[in-house]
Amino acid sequence: MAIPRAAKTLRRTRIQEEKEEQILEAALDVFSVSGFRGSTIDQIAEVAGMSKPNLLYYFRTKEAMHRALIDRVLFNWLEPLRAFDAEGNPESEIRSYIRRKLEMARDFPRESRLFANEMLQGAPHVLDMLKGPLKELVDEKAAVIRTWIKSGKIVRCDPYHLIFSIWSTTQHYADFDVQVRAVLGEEHSGDGRFEDAARFLEQLFIGGLRPD
Amino acid sequence: MAIPRAAKTLRRTRIQEEKEEQILEAALDVFSVSGFRGSTIDQIAEVAGMSKPNLLYYFRTKEAMHRALIDRVLFNWLEPLRAFDAEGNPESEIRSYIRRKLEMARDFPRESRLFANEMLQGAPHVLDMLKGPLKELVDEKAAVIRTWIKSGKIVRCDPYHLIFSIWSTTQHYADFDVQVRAVLGEEHSGDGRFEDAARFLEQLFIGGLRPD
DNA sequence: AGATAATTTGACCGATTGGTAAACATTACA
DNA sequence: TGTAATGTTTACCAATCGGTCAAATTATCT
């Protein structure tokens, strides 16, 4: 007999572990391209290589799938910002934040697009997280940046917009990948692209933040 | 009797002008939030205040609606880049490009999101335009930037990534508006936000591009 | 005003949507 | 090994999807 869903949270079997993993992997593929509304359970089922009712055995609704995926992805996504450290010197700290964010855009573009899709739609599923945990984390890091400004290590500027500009420039290479490829042409779309972007952005931010 | 659709291109009536306008306005509302796949003709019809078959009288398919909308919006969207001029001095030219792009993000956020949605989905409807006209335009402007570098007016850097970074930082305020609002808090989300962003970005790019 | 062309609508179509029910198959464990 | 819990599938449902059609309405022009 089919289990009451509650049992799953009590004890997880090997199969549950594997299948949920499989499903979320497929869901990431689909949701990151078409967004929540534009994605269908059938698409996810096909990518996952499972039947639709089988998906719905593990996640009761499309919403539940999406929520589980977002929850899973969120923590890692904020890791680079968390690593942003007040102790190090501003230049190397900003340099490595840019690097890390750029690496994530390169290595986890689907995750980046999943968020971008969510933002475009008005963040219906993560608004609380934005206003709560994210805001707090950013406030904290903005305070760090302000101490750098006060001690004259970087130029006086708005720390929030600084953070936004690092987010946007780096994530751009994941979210607008097609455009970047199209404009650079296929010849410049190899490994060199990443290094070129990193070099430019480090130059821009380090130069732009150097105290007068 | 219903007209053969061809007649519409021969002579446009007042009503056609108005209704097509109404429909595209509503389509922009809907497509910019949910993307092509995630949007329905019924949604657009409701926003437009017309019946679904009435929409389909003016645009035979959902695709046709979307294509007409993109075509209409594209030209204006590239205007700031076209205005980018080799004659002016780099500093004021870059400054005003940032301004213009930021103004567009503020005044036409739906248009920005329409494109962002299209990019996230792999640009299925505009890929040719990206590889053709857009690439050519960017190549042209990249050449301008290179002359600035050669004459020592700005620091040596990759002109393509410079353009990408201006695009991404400015469009961020339209595409990720929810996130920006959430992080800044509602108190900082008034008119001041725009000026703060403009000030920061000009400082960043002018400072970051100043020759050593 | 009357004829004709243009516009609008309700009723409807087959395909796809998210999701369910129940029979069937497999696994884990005593 | 038996059996109960877990996992999978087929068949299905009502709602919604993009789109059609013919009838009804409105605008245009002589």
Side-chain angles (χ1 to χ4, degrees):
Chain A
M1 205 233 303
I3 37 138
R5 200 70 50 150
K8 286 213 347 233
T9 57
L10 295 179
R11 202 189 335 176
R12 317 251 315 217
T13 67
R14 194 199 79 242
I15 291 183
Q16 275 169 30
E17 213 80 57
E18 290 173 2
K19 290 299 171 82
E20 288 178 10
E21 168 66 31
Q22 246 181 77
I23 294 168
L24 291 182
E25 169 68 19
L28 180 54
D29 256 23
V30 176
F31 281 135
S32 66
V33 170
S34 305
F36 182 76
R37 284 224 47 183
S39 304
T40 72
I41 303 181
D42 296 83
Q43 285 176 340
I44 299 173
E46 198 189 329
V47 173
M50 311 167 58
S51 68
K52 179 167 64 170
N54 204 357
L55 291 211
L56 290 162
Y57 172 75
Y58 291 100
F59 299 94
R60 265 201 292 253
T61 64
K62 187 172 131 181
E63 281 260 350
M65 245 175 264
H66 191 255
R67 186 165 41 249
L69 180 60
I70 293 238
D71 286 348
R72 197 250 275 272
V73 154
L74 255 176
F75 187 83
N76 290 333
W77 197 245
L78 292 178
E79 190 47 39
L81 185 58
R82 255 185 250 108
F84 201 83
D85 185 10
E87 305 306 322
N89 76 78
E91 179 168 329
S92 72
E93 211 54 45
I94 286 170
R95 215 181 274 276
S96 69
Y97 184 48
I98 292 172
R99 279 269 160 186
R100 265 192 282 258
K101 285 289 290 178
L102 220 36
E103 281 163 13
M104 297 204 65
R106 182 193 56 188
D107 300 335
F108 307 102
R110 295 175 304 169
E111 283 81 349
S112 184
R113 289 191 199 110
L114 181 73
F115 281 117
N117 255 309
E118 188 59 19
M119 293 303 122
L120 286 176
Q121 282 155 39
H125 306 98
V126 296
L127 196 54
D128 292 343
M129 169 274 187
L130 296 182
K131 290 182 176 174
L134 179 66
K135 178 174 167 44
E136 284 161 35
L137 184 58
V138 174
D139 283 341
E140 186 188 319
K141 300 308 177 180
V144 170
I145 294 172
R146 266 200 217 90
T147 68
W148 290 345
I149 294 173
K150 289 229 169 78
S151 60
K153 290 177 184 164
I154 67 173
V155 74
R156 170 171 301 279
C157 69
D158 185 313
Y160 291 95
H161 291 285
L162 169 55
I163 291 172
F164 292 154
S165 64
I166 296 178
W167 285 351
S168 59
T169 49
T170 52
Q171 290 173 7
H172 187 78
Y173 291 97
D175 303 343
F176 285 66
D177 178 67
V178 222
Q179 197 185 62
V180 170
R181 273 180 208 280
V183 168
L184 290 184
E186 291 304 329
E187 64 272 22
H188 286 95
S189 293
D191 293 345
R193 214 183 73 187
F194 174 80
E195 274 308 322
D196 289 347
R199 198 173 310 116
F200 173 81
L201 290 179
E202 289 180 20
Q203 181 182 19
L204 176 69
F205 282 95
I206 300 304
L209 295 174
R210 213 189 324 260
D212 319 290
Chain B
M1 204 230 304
I3 37 138
R5 199 72 50 152
K8 281 199 10 218
T9 57
L10 295 180
R11 196 172 3 155
R12 315 254 313 224
T13 67
R14 196 198 78 243
I15 291 184
Q16 276 170 28
E17 212 80 58
E18 289 173 4
K19 288 299 169 81
E20 288 178 10
E21 168 66 32
Q22 246 181 77
I23 293 169
L24 291 181
E25 170 69 20
L28 180 55
D29 256 23
V30 176
F31 282 135
S32 66
V33 170
S34 305
F36 182 76
R37 283 224 48 182
S39 303
T40 72
I41 302 181
D42 295 84
Q43 286 177 336
I44 299 173
E46 198 188 330
V47 173
M50 311 166 58
S51 68
K52 179 167 62 170
N54 204 357
L55 293 211
L56 290 162
Y57 173 75
Y58 291 101
F59 298 95
R60 265 202 290 254
T61 64
K62 189 173 130 179
E63 281 260 352
M65 244 175 266
H66 191 254
R67 186 164 40 249
L69 180 60
I70 294 237
D71 286 349
R72 198 250 276 270
V73 154
L74 255 176
F75 187 84
N76 290 333
W77 196 246
L78 291 178
E79 191 46 39
L81 185 57
R82 255 185 250 109
F84 201 82
D85 186 10
E87 305 307 322
N89 77 79
E91 179 167 331
S92 73
E93 210 55 45
I94 286 171
R95 213 182 276 276
S96 70
Y97 184 48
I98 292 172
R99 278 271 159 186
R100 266 192 282 257
K101 286 290 290 178
L102 220 36
E103 280 164 15
M104 296 204 66
R106 181 193 55 188
D107 300 335
F108 307 102
R110 295 175 305 169
E111 284 80 350
S112 184
R113 288 191 199 111
L114 181 74
F115 282 116
N117 255 309
E118 189 58 19
M119 295 301 121
L120 287 176
Q121 283 155 40
H125 306 97
V126 295
L127 196 53
D128 291 343
M129 168 274 187
L130 296 182
K131 290 182 174 175
L134 179 66
K135 178 174 166 44
E136 283 162 35
L137 185 58
V138 174
D139 284 342
E140 184 188 320
K141 300 307 177 181
V144 169
I145 294 173
R146 267 200 216 92
T147 68
W148 290 346
I149 295 174
K150 289 228 168 79
S151 60
K153 290 177 183 163
I154 67 172
V155 75
R156 169 172 301 278
C157 70
D158 185 314
Y160 291 93
H161 292 284
L162 169 55
I163 292 173
F164 293 153
S165 64
I166 296 179
W167 285 351
S168 59
T169 48
T170 52
Q171 289 173 7
H172 188 79
Y173 292 97
D175 304 342
F176 285 67
D177 178 68
V178 221
Q179 196 185 59
V180 170
R181 274 179 208 280
V183 167
L184 290 183
E186 292 305 328
E187 64 271 21
H188 286 95
S189 294
D191 293 344
R193 212 184 73 186
F194 174 80
E195 274 308 321
D196 290 347
R199 199 174 308 116
F200 172 81
L201 290 178
E202 290 181 18
Q203 181 183 19
L204 175 70
F205 282 95
I206 300 304
L209 296 175
R210 212 187 329 259
D212 319 288

